[in-house]
Amino acid sequence: MAQQQDHVRASGVHSVGDIPHFAQFTSPVSTGRMAEGFGLALPLNIVALIVQWLDDTGDLARVCRTCRLLNYMTSPLLYQRVTLHSYPEIRYVRGRPEGFGGGSPFVMALNGLVTRSQAELVEDFKLWGGWNEAGQEEFAKGRVPDNSMMLNILLRAATDKMANLRSFCWELDCKPLKTLYQGLAAHTTLTSLTIRFPTSRVPRPSVMIPPIPNLRAFKALDIDPLCYPDDISMLLLHSRKLEDLRLHFSSRMRREAEPTLTLDTYFGRCLRAKYSIKVKHVGLQNFFGANMTGMEDIFDKKTALSMCALDMFGGAGSRMSTARNVYIDDSWRQIDPDMACSFKSMRSNEVAMQHVELLKRNQVPLEAMYFISGKNFEASAPDRNSPITPEDTPLWQDEEMTRLGKDYLHVLTTINPLALRKLLLRDEWALNEEEVSRLVRNCPNLEQLGMAVGTKNVAVMSWLMPFLPKLRAFRMLPCEALTEIMQTTNHEQRMSMLGIDLWKTGMKRVEFLGFGEIVYKVGNAEQFETEDGRWQWRYQMTTSSKEEVQHIELWGLDNLDISAEPVARFAP
């Protein structure tokens, strides 16, 4: 027996119930006391779960400086997402320039990624801001300035060490060079690429972006042929796993009626190879050019289930379409008789009869439709010398918008209406009581609904809710009737009435209600005493900011941001 006890002591276990020192911090069960030489009594798996809830970079950095153990466990989270902001001018802190005694914080951060081992932990890498590009005159002489070349060499060295790089985003005001593109193409782990092209018209080398084998999401921003963007056609042809594609063009071409683009520039290689891109989501914004390449042949109809088109085809409601654009935009109104789509979700700020016709031909039931109202955003400044951009909307455009609203409502409520889950209408379409009744009766599975009403009945919610048992969010868009409704009650009375109406109608799923710019959050049920001494039930109502409801599509997708939709899910 004594020999066995000596053997136990020799192995580091002081009693039969003790856990060996080498296994204490990997065991899911705590020893109940502080381990020798450490300041933690929790098992490592519990500490790891706690650390994963830290989402603030400053908090992660402070935890990393606590002790060696926490530094080891927290560093992968701290360096998992790295964002570097470059400032073209010197910024001062307490009277001293940032980076005093060394280089700029941007360059010093790159130096750390190149010379130390933390680059191996980086999965998402983003660069943005302004780069002080010295020697731009050398571009006009046919040579890349050393300043630009050294930046790309340094970034190539940094990204080459990022063995786990999944996402790369370039939003500097200069352009990547071939050196960096070649390094990114060698990453088999890279699945997301975002490139923002510069808006300055400095002559630069135009590079053909090479294919990236496992790329799933690609976004190109501020494409302008006069600003020397890179060629993405080879990337689109040979990156066969691409599932999310978003192309944002400069608004200058549409604003100045300059048709310098065709879709063949970007998709011509795919069409000649008879390859239809198998994406799940397509986003296009601000394109201005004639319809010389059929859209129906570019994307695979079986896989393209989500579409976002903003200021693309010159339909009614576009914020930048003028009479000068009609010659080009009319080419898009001639749709092929056999053209059909398979979209489950669509978002656009333009409406047209041709779009109504495509919705009729949609081969799958539509689940989500978002119409962005142009009145919510400032249009780009019109040409002051042109008399064709009056401040007031012409009467014929108002009549066309009203007619299109009725056509869209007819299609949405008659063709597979049971599949519709999320619907945001334009604020110009103020629905009367009959139209509202038809909408809620034919589309009972709506979970989110945003619309304008033409009735001044303050009880509109009470007769709307019983027909939408699955409704989670409702938004009444700004309109004349809403303004008068809001003036009939004050803030406190309105919240009390809404809480009572929701309880009476049995709407247990409603979470948010929006009235113009005001958003209410529905809370728990409570009892309150009325003025006549009776007790009554109602839901608690509180106000919410727009930031709190951005995860709800009625608010989160009501903008002109092509990046608003979440990236399509893909298999790792």
Side-chain angles (χ1 to χ4, degrees):
M1 186 66 179
Q3 291 179 353
Q4 291 179 354
Q5 291 177 350
D6 292 340
H7 176 72
V8 170
R9 294 190 185 97
S11 63
V13 181
H14 298 286
S15 66
V16 177
D18 280 345
I19 299 175
H21 287 304
F22 63 84
Q24 285 181 2
F25 290 100
T26 58
S27 171
V29 181
S30 174
T31 62
R33 59 181 176 80
M34 305 291 278
E36 297 177 4
F38 294 93
L40 294 174
L42 292 175
L44 288 186
N45 59 343
I46 301 299
V47 176
L49 290 174
I50 296 174
V51 169
Q52 288 179 358
W53 285 95
L54 297 176
D55 54 3
D56 182 75
T57 305
D59 291 341
L60 288 170
R62 284 184 285 270
V63 173
C64 277
R65 295 194 295 266
T66 303
C67 64
R68 291 184 178 181
L69 178 61
L70 286 177
N71 181 280
Y72 172 77
M73 298 187 66
T74 312
S75 291
L77 295 176
L78 178 63
Y79 289 95
Q80 182 178 10
R81 296 178 178 85
V82 175
T83 300
L84 302 183
H85 187 180
S86 174
Y87 296 93
E89 70 283 346
I90 297 179
R91 302 197 311 162
Y92 290 84
V93 178
R94 301 187 190 93
R96 289 187 174 184
E98 284 187 327
F100 185 74
S104 69
F106 179 83
V107 174
M108 296 305 294
L110 284 179
N111 176 66
L113 292 173
V114 172
T115 59
R116 303 181 67 180
S117 60
Q118 280 81 359
E120 299 176 0
L121 305 173
V122 178
E123 297 182 9
D124 301 332
F125 190 35
K126 178 179 179 179
L127 308 164
W128 70 290
W131 174 253
N132 191 6
E133 197 171 24
Q136 286 190 2
E137 65 278 359
E138 296 184 26
F139 279 121
K141 298 178 181 179
R143 193 179 82 169
V144 177
D146 293 343
N147 176 277
S148 302
M149 197 68 199
M150 292 304 296
L151 171 64
N152 281 263
I153 292 174
L154 185 59
L155 287 171
R156 169 70 185 271
T159 54
D160 282 352
K161 297 185 64 176
M162 299 176 184
N164 300 310
L165 184 63
R166 296 187 297 108
S167 174
F168 180 80
C169 178
W170 175 290
E171 294 193 18
L172 294 174
D173 61 355
C174 57
K175 198 161 67 69
L177 298 178
K178 185 177 181 180
T179 303
L180 180 59
Y181 283 131
Q182 289 176 335
L184 295 176
H187 281 276
T188 58
T189 60
L190 188 63
T191 58
S192 177
L193 176 63
T194 299
I195 301 294
R196 181 181 294 275
F197 294 110
T199 56
S200 59
R201 300 181 184 179
V202 176
R204 306 171 191 267
S206 183
V207 180
M208 178 170 290
I209 304 178
I212 299 177
N214 291 315
L215 190 67
R216 308 299 177 89
F218 175 67
K219 180 168 56 178
L221 305 174
D222 288 328
I223 302 174
D224 190 335
L226 297 184
C227 297
Y228 307 91
D230 295 327
D231 190 346
I232 64 174
S233 60
M234 190 67 72
L235 175 77
L236 298 179
L237 174 61
H238 293 291
S239 299
R240 297 297 176 96
K241 295 184 179 181
L242 193 64
E243 298 183 7
D244 192 300
L245 175 63
R246 311 184 190 203
L247 303 181
H248 170 275
F249 299 87
S250 172
S251 60
R252 178 192 59 81
M253 294 170 288
R254 176 169 289 277
R255 185 173 61 248
E256 300 179 6
E258 185 182 277
T260 55
L261 290 176
T262 64
L263 290 179
D264 188 73
T265 305
Y266 309 98
F267 302 105
R269 292 179 185 270
C270 297
L271 292 173
R272 287 186 286 274
K274 297 182 179 181
Y275 169 67
S276 297
I277 306 176
K278 295 176 172 55
V279 293
K280 295 179 180 178
H281 175 76
V282 182
L284 301 171
Q285 186 170 5
N286 295 337
F287 178 81
F288 184 66
N291 183 14
M292 302 179 66
T293 303
M295 287 283 292
E296 66 276 6
D297 298 324
I298 295 176
F299 304 108
D300 192 328
K301 302 181 183 64
K302 297 179 181 179
T303 61
L305 301 178
S306 177
M307 175 71 174
C308 173
L310 304 175
D311 293 314
M312 279 290 300
F313 309 115
S318 175
R319 63 194 179 109
M320 288 188 296
S321 289
T322 66
R324 294 176 298 175
N325 306 135
V326 67
Y327 309 112
I328 299 299
D329 291 336
D330 270 358
S331 64
W332 291 97
R333 300 181 185 275
Q334 304 172 3
I335 59 175
D336 191 287
D338 299 327
M339 182 178 178
C341 305
S342 301
F343 295 125
K344 291 185 177 181
S345 175
M346 300 186 71
R347 184 166 74 104
S348 177
N349 68 328
E350 299 176 303
V351 291
M353 196 61 211
Q354 290 75 15
H355 187 205
V356 176
E357 181 62 31
L358 289 177
L359 287 178
K360 294 179 181 178
R361 305 179 189 176
N362 206 39
Q363 297 177 346
V364 298
L366 188 66
E367 297 179 3
M369 184 75 226
Y370 308 99
F371 295 99
I372 303 172
S373 301
K375 294 180 181 179
N376 296 337
F377 310 96
E378 290 186 6
S380 300
D383 187 350
R384 296 182 179 179
N385 297 325
S386 174
I388 58 178
T389 54
E391 295 181 359
D392 297 328
T393 304
L395 182 60
W396 66 269
Q397 290 188 9
D398 288 336
E399 294 175 350
E400 181 185 12
M401 181 63 70
T402 302
R403 176 178 54 81
L404 286 172
K406 297 183 181 298
D407 292 336
Y408 274 105
L409 186 63
H410 174 73
V411 171
L412 294 172
T413 55
T414 56
I415 301 179
N416 295 317
L418 297 179
L420 198 60
R421 297 290 189 274
K422 302 170 184 178
L423 176 62
L424 175 64
L425 301 175
R426 293 185 67 96
D427 56 12
E428 295 97 332
W429 301 338
L431 307 187
N432 55 39
E433 294 186 10
E434 180 183 352
E435 292 170 335
V436 173
S437 176
R438 175 154 48 97
L439 174 63
V440 298
R441 289 179 182 273
N442 293 346
C443 307
N445 295 318
L446 281 172
E447 299 172 4
Q448 298 182 30
L449 174 61
M451 64 178 184
V453 295
T455 175
K456 302 174 184 178
N457 188 350
V458 295
V460 61
M461 293 291 298
S462 60
W463 50 266
L464 172 69
M465 293 298 182
F467 300 99
L468 301 175
K470 299 181 180 179
L471 195 68
R472 292 179 53 242
F474 174 74
R475 181 182 175 194
M476 191 175 294
L477 301 177
C479 59
E480 183 179 351
L482 176 61
T483 302
E484 296 192 17
I485 292 176
M486 299 293 280
Q487 292 175 350
T488 59
T489 58
N490 57 38
H491 189 63
E492 289 73 16
Q493 292 174 339
R494 192 179 309 119
M495 288 196 296
S496 178
M497 292 173 57
L498 288 173
I500 295 174
D501 288 343
L502 286 176
W503 173 262
K504 288 181 178 180
T505 54
M507 300 300 295
K508 299 180 179 180
R509 296 190 179 185
V510 176
E511 300 175 9
F512 295 97
L513 297 173
F515 296 89
E517 298 297 321
I518 303 176
V519 181
Y520 297 109
K521 183 177 181 180
V522 183
N524 298 324
E526 65 176 0
Q527 274 188 313
F528 71 101
E529 187 176 4
T530 61
E531 295 180 356
D532 56 2
R534 294 183 298 106
W535 288 91
Q536 192 172 357
W537 283 92
R538 68 182 177 188
Y539 284 104
Q540 296 176 350
M541 305 293 295
T542 57
T543 57
S544 295
S545 63
K546 285 192 175 182
E547 289 73 20
E548 296 180 54
V549 293
Q550 289 304 303
H551 65 286
I552 304 293
E553 286 83 350
L554 285 183
W555 289 274
L557 297 185
D558 189 16
N559 54 61
L560 297 175
D561 184 4
I562 197 175
S563 305
E565 286 96 346
V567 175
R569 294 182 178 180
F570 53 83

